[in-house]
Each structure stands twice: as C-alpha cells, then as structure tokens.
Amino acid sequence: MSKGMLVDTTRCIGCRACQVACKRWNAKPVEDTWVTETGTNPPKLSSKTWTLVDIRQPQQTDDAMTWSFVKRQCMHCIDPACVSACPVGALTKLDNGPVIYRAERCFGCRYCMIACPFQIPKFEWDSNRPTIQKCEFCADRLANDIEPACAGTCPTQAIAFGEREELLHEAKARIYNASGKYVPHIFGENEAGGTSWMYIYDASLEQLGLPANLEMEPYPEFTKGFLLGVPL
C-alpha cells in the first residue's frame, strides 16, 4: 500500500522542528535568507530548503486573531505531472509513495518545474553543476521501515504518517467528530488526482496559501491525448 502523510494545521504551532529535521537528515546547508512580514523563514522553498512552515496572516475571529501554520513540501502526487513531463526518466514514482529524483539522468530541461501544479521542484541556480532539488518523502528511511524525519520530530503530532487510505479514514473521522472545527474537505484527497500529502484545516485555502483551483483529475491525463499525436 502507498504511504501518506496527514497534516493537521490546527495542531501546528510553527516551531519549525520539521524544517530542522529535514535539513539534518538530508544534509542541506543553511542559506542566507530573510524573514517575511508574518515570520516565515526562509520565505519560500528552495534547492536548500525542502520543507517549510509557512506562517500565514492572522484571521479575525469573534474572540481573537488566529494564526495559521502550514507545512509545505513536495506533495508526492499519485500520478505526478513532473514524472510525466520528464523526457529522460529522471523523476520516478515509487509504489510506496515517494517521487524520487535521479540526478545522473537529468539534463536540465526543467520541464518538471513547469509541469508541477504545486510549484515544488527547485533548480540549483547558484551551482555550476545544477540539479533539481525537492523533498523525496525520506524514501531512504521508508525503505528501512522508518518514518520520515519530519513526522518523527513533530511535538504536537500535527504530522501523521501511515498508509494513505488509513490516513484518509482518520482525516474524515476528525472532521466528523470535531463539530464544525474543520472545513469539511481534505486537501489532497482528490486534488491533481490525489496526493500522498493531505491536509485538514480550519481556514480557507486562500488563507492557508494552498491552491484552490486545481483540477481533480491527474494532470498527465490532460496532455496524454495530445502527446499521443506527436510523432516520436
């Protein structure tokens, strides 16, 4: 069965422990950066930062101003647009969930960056031997039955790791049992044909910075018919 992750934004406190764990496990360097007005640091994903806690503008409720913290990383789509767009097979979807990258196959066309509906793959613009960089769902850890580094370090259990179908059941149970706490929608259940990373939340997608206008079909389905008509 395919593995998945469930992010509950109502449990996230913005501690960034997941960011640190990701950098440590993947040996990613510190980068010169800046803090946004809301406190997000670094301000966006990059070749050196594969996971990021996005701190969103507070929203006014009846009682107080509430902040939203949203973990961002590769969504590891069930049928990834990036994989279908790569002409040399540098990106591969594994049966257990991760979308991995093989630098030795890549020739730098960056079609994956254009194809991704979540704008995830990043290019090493500052390198003289650049490659594509992104979260790989800790595929090396999964191969040894170890949960991803970010999930293992979250102090509030805002990130849950497990079988995707079981996480979907858990997400639906939390929404049903919480008496209106959550928006009745699981982001990632069907977006872009479904993703391995899914979110439950209590604010609008616009407030959270998540794309609200995605197709529900896998994105490769929209180009398959056209590409079949292109001479080999």
Side-chain angles (χ1 to χ4, degrees), residues 77-99:
C77 301
I78 305 302
D79 189 358
C82 62
V83 172
S84 71
C86 182
V88 292
L91 288 153
T92 305
K93 174 71 176 181
L94 301 184
D95 291 339
N96 63 342
V99 176

Side-chain angles (χ1 to χ4, degrees), residues 9-59:
T9 65
T10 70
R11 297 185 179 186
C12 181
I13 58 174
C15 70
R16 301 188 181 95
C18 55
Q19 286 186 210
V20 176
C22 178
K23 276 191 177 286
R24 289 186 64 183
W25 182 257
N26 295 290
K28 306 307 293 181
V30 175
E31 58 184 322
D32 291 332
T33 184
W34 67 94
V35 181
T36 66
E37 292 181 358
T38 60
T40 303
N41 184 25
K44 58 184 178 180
L45 296 172
S46 70
S47 62
K48 299 179 179 66
T49 299
W50 290 1
T51 193
L52 172 71
V53 176
D54 187 11
I55 303 176
R56 306 298 298 176
Q57 289 282 0
Q59 57 180 350

